[in-house]
Amino acid sequence: MFNFSSLPPLALYIHFPWCVQKCPYCDFNSHELKTTLDEKNYINALINDLEQELPSFWGRSISSIFMGGGTPSLFSPESIEQLLSALRARVTFAPNIEITMEANPGTVELGKFNEFSDAGISRLSIGIQSFSDEKLEKLGRIHGRKEAIRAAELAHDAGFNSFNLDLMYGLPNQSLQQAVDDIETAIALEPKHLSHYQLTIEPNTFFHHQPPVTPDDDMLWEMQNACQTRLAKHDYSQYEISAYAKDGYQCQHNLNYWQFGDYLGIGAGAHGKLTNAAEQKITRSWKV
């Protein structure tokens, strides 16, 4: 039995389903881009998708936006700016709204981060996964160590005071020292936020059909403890299972999920959850 006296904050998730290539561990709705990316039509489809949702949240403001995928950074800054302009024309943005975009180091060239910032992106989440060329190759990533480090440097240069680096541990044949080396390299790049999560083998992935050799549970525990110790030493506080942040730099969009806030989902495969206080019910939705 629900008892809602007021509505929770409302966030917006936008899904971009294309990648340069599909990673063998990924079970998200992402697909290898085999033709020219039709940015214009997909942006228009996202805008139409939002317009169909408008009656369900009319009068409510958006507290955060997260562009995930897939690889949103495959899209041009001009397309992202067009999308954000269309959103502003149709919905109310909360003051100091957090607008995050996921980016792949292999799809970001010099100057692109500056243009994303000018388009209205306020926060980046960069999919590093590892700083080891060997591990990145096994993970099917299209970037190497140099591109990963350069992406973090470009984020600083573009003026992103808040950005996240995604890292994984428990990688194929990974040692404790290799896991620690990854986290120490990330810390040295001075992001305000780090995601550090264990590689898991999910159904309907290449790794599920051809499982790699990964560390056992005892080694995974040692990796987690060693990396958490180093993160704490450098003032990264753990605020959910795999997220660590400097004080004041927690991801507001992620916090909204964890605190049972509402969220709209637009784009291919996006999910949503909306509260109706008057009818005391929650409606969940997903897009094909």
Side-chain angles (χ1 to χ4, degrees), residues 156-201:
H156 281 298
D157 293 344
F160 282 100
N161 192 37
S162 180
F163 67 88
N164 169 64
L165 298 183
D166 259 357
L167 284 178
M168 302 171 73
Y169 68 97
L171 305 180
N173 298 308
Q174 188 178 40
S175 68
L176 174 60
Q177 188 58 53
Q178 287 173 328
V180 170
D181 287 346
D182 271 350
I183 208 73
E184 289 183 338
T185 301
I187 290 170
L189 292 169
E190 300 184 325
K192 292 296 197 299
H193 191 287
L194 278 165
S195 295
H196 188 240
Y197 51 96
Q198 179 187 328
L199 171 65
T200 55
I201 308 301

Side-chain angles (χ1 to χ4, degrees), residues 212-268:
V213 177
T214 55
D216 61 24
D217 287 346
D218 289 339
M219 177 55 68
L220 290 170
W221 180 244
E222 287 189 46
M223 289 177 175
Q224 180 177 327
N225 278 338
C227 292
Q228 285 180 329
T229 298
R230 282 159 176 79
L231 286 165
K233 181 180 178 181
H234 290 273
D235 300 321
Y236 288 92
S237 297
Q238 184 179 15
Y239 69 96
E240 48 104 325
I241 291 176
S242 60
Y244 303 78
K246 297 283 190 177
D247 187 40
Y249 288 92
Q250 294 85 355
C251 176
Q252 297 307 302
H253 192 87
N254 281 354
L255 279 174
N256 188 59
Y257 290 144
W258 282 90
Q259 295 170 355
F260 208 59
D262 281 354
Y263 50 94
L264 294 164
I266 63 172

Side-chain angles (χ1 to χ4, degrees), residues 53-79:
E53 294 280 3
L54 287 175
S56 66
F57 68 96
W58 195 255
R60 300 177 67 179
S61 62
I62 301 294
S63 61
S64 67
I65 297 173
F66 196 101
M67 301 182 188
T71 309
S73 57
L74 284 175
F75 281 67
S76 67
E78 291 77 16
S79 290

